[in-house]
Amino acid sequence: FPSFNPQKHTAHSAYKKNRAFIDLFEPGSTFKPISMSYVLEQKKAENLTVVDTGPGVWVLNNQKVSDVRNFGVLKVDDILMRSSNIGIAKLVLSCGHNFVNWIERKFPVGKKSLAEYPGEPKGRINHPGETQLFDKASISYGYGVSMTVLQLAQAYLQIANGGYAQDVSIIKQNTDKAPEKKRILAPETIARVKSMMKKVVSNTGTGRLGQVKGLEVAGKTGTTHLYTNKGYAEDRYIASF
């Protein structure tokens, strides 16, 4: 929107773009369910109960990871609902050294979703060294990651469909039998992440406006500072759900 008439060649070129397929952006906190999936696959459930996020600022390599306010000791299952950067960063950094490689194996991050679509960018994710703790932390809440809306939606499909690899296509596939599904996430991981994402749209979550009467909704909000040629803008944002 606004739509355009493909026979009217005077239409502004910006209206002809399918931005969901070709524009890269940093997903911000909408990336946290992916990071949480990693954490749940690495750690036993009984070891994941609470995280101390106080006093609302965490210094790593002389750089600050901040929350919108001091959430104090948070239940792990409330980290997505509160959208705590510190909470998800502490969990990811406690898991080991294979975070980025794991994401690239499991999700459509750093790759294309539609090989046949002209102009779709590949996307990118930083590969920080082991001592670059702040860089690794920032990836956990969606900075240092470039994706299209389609690539993020494909990642969410893999959570929504029960933890199976999910291809996407712009051409309807006419097949006699459904392709064999490849499981990429454990059923218990999926169940817990979905439960967390339902809390996001509860009356106490950041995405409560995403509620739909009569339907069960799960989701995640995200806000990133817009990156410009002068660095991250203080007063310009990309908001996502």
Side-chain angles (χ1 to χ4, degrees), residues 112-189:
K112 293 184 177 184
S113 290
L114 294 169
E116 73 272 23
Y117 192 84
E120 184 196 0
K122 191 175 180 181
R124 186 175 61 83
I125 183 169
N126 286 346
H127 280 257
E130 290 309 315
T131 60
Q132 294 174 286
L133 299 180
F134 178 79
D135 290 349
K136 193 183 296 187
S138 63
I139 291 170
S140 74
Y141 48 87
Y143 281 86
V145 182
S146 296
M147 305 178 75
T148 65
V149 172
L150 174 67
Q151 290 157 9
L152 183 63
Q154 184 184 357
Y156 270 51
L157 278 174
Q158 295 182 170
I159 296 172
N161 73 10
Y164 295 96
Q166 176 76 55
D167 291 330
V168 293
S169 175
I170 55 173
I171 302 171
K172 186 175 181 180
Q173 305 297 312
N174 293 313
T175 54
D176 295 331
K177 60 178 182 178
E180 186 177 341
K181 292 182 177 181
K182 176 187 175 183
R183 176 166 288 285
I184 59 168
L185 297 170
E188 53 269 25
T189 296

Side-chain angles (χ1 to χ4, degrees), residues 39-49 192:
V39 171
L40 294 174
E41 294 275 295
Q42 308 301 310
K43 288 182 173 287
K44 294 181 179 178
E46 57 267 26
N47 296 332
L48 288 171
T49 54
R192 195 165 177 186

